[in-house]
Amino acid sequence: RRSVEELLVEKFKDFKAADERNWHNLREEITRSKESVFSELAEQQNHNVKQFSELMSLRDRQRDRELQLLREHTETAMLEVKSSIGSVHMASHKAAEARFTELLQAEHLSHRQILANEQREKSALALQLTEAMDAVSTKDHSIEHLRKSLSEVERARPEPV
């Protein structure tokens, strides 16, 4: 026959072993969750960067086509203006050139404003990405803090009698 004390010691050891398995399983689950979150965030970041790059490339090509068409239109218009104006109408010709120059400058200003807006959008996306990375880092620190607390709880637990 075993004594009550031996039975209690055996039960305590069984309980402690089960508790240690549970803590070990919890640590493994935390590690898997962390890896999964990092993996998903990295994939999303890569996807966002790729989409943003494609969008910027499309916008750049469209803007280049628009500028080329504008240059061609302007050159054609200038040739028409120059050919239709004689030497007597030189003052009128200069006024037309000034108007075309103003139109070009206005168009240039418009494109610069569009580019500035796109730059703001790009900056906002970069800020969102930084905030997301900061959030992941904060969660990582929280996980590490929980691990340390868990280790301290395990060390503070009294040894079985």
Side-chain angles (χ1 to χ4, degrees), residues 38-158:
F38 280 137
S39 175
E40 289 174 18
L41 283 173
E43 286 176 22
Q44 185 62 40
Q45 179 184 1
N46 288 339
H47 178 71
N48 288 347
V49 167
K50 183 179 177 182
Q51 281 185 326
F52 185 70
S53 294
E54 290 171 359
L55 177 64
M56 294 306 288
S57 178
L58 286 172
R59 286 183 181 174
D60 288 345
R61 286 193 301 268
Q62 178 64 29
R63 191 153 293 105
D64 289 343
R65 284 191 297 266
E66 290 173 359
L67 287 173
Q68 182 61 34
L69 288 173
L70 182 63
R71 283 186 193 111
E72 291 171 3
H73 177 67
T74 302
E75 288 173 6
T76 301
M78 290 299 291
L79 288 174
E80 289 174 2
V81 168
K82 285 181 180 180
S83 67
S84 67
I85 297 176
S87 60
V88 176
H89 299 98
M90 188 57 85
S92 174
H93 171 69
K94 288 185 179 186
E97 280 184 355
R99 283 193 305 270
F100 281 115
T101 302
E102 288 174 7
L103 288 173
L104 284 175
Q105 288 173 346
E107 194 68 31
H108 179 72
L109 179 60
S110 171
H111 284 284
R112 288 182 63 96
Q113 289 171 342
I114 291 170
L115 287 173
N117 288 339
E118 289 175 1
Q119 185 63 33
R120 282 192 291 275
E121 289 174 17
K122 183 178 178 182
S123 295
L125 286 172
L127 178 61
Q128 289 175 358
L129 178 60
T130 300
E131 290 172 351
M133 291 172 70
D134 288 345
V136 168
S137 177
T138 300
K139 288 179 182 178
D140 187 39
H141 290 296
S142 296
I143 289 170
E144 288 301 321
H145 179 69
L146 287 173
R147 281 188 179 157
K148 288 178 184 177
S149 296
L150 177 62
S151 295
E152 290 174 11
V153 167
E154 290 176 347
R155 277 189 255 124
R157 194 177 292 161

Side-chain angles (χ1 to χ4, degrees), residues 2-18:
R2 294 190 322 197
S3 70
V4 171
E5 184 178 321
E6 289 173 335
L7 288 172
L8 287 174
V9 167
E10 185 178 321
K11 285 287 187 187
F12 179 76
K13 287 180 180 177
D14 290 344
F15 174 75
K16 183 178 177 188

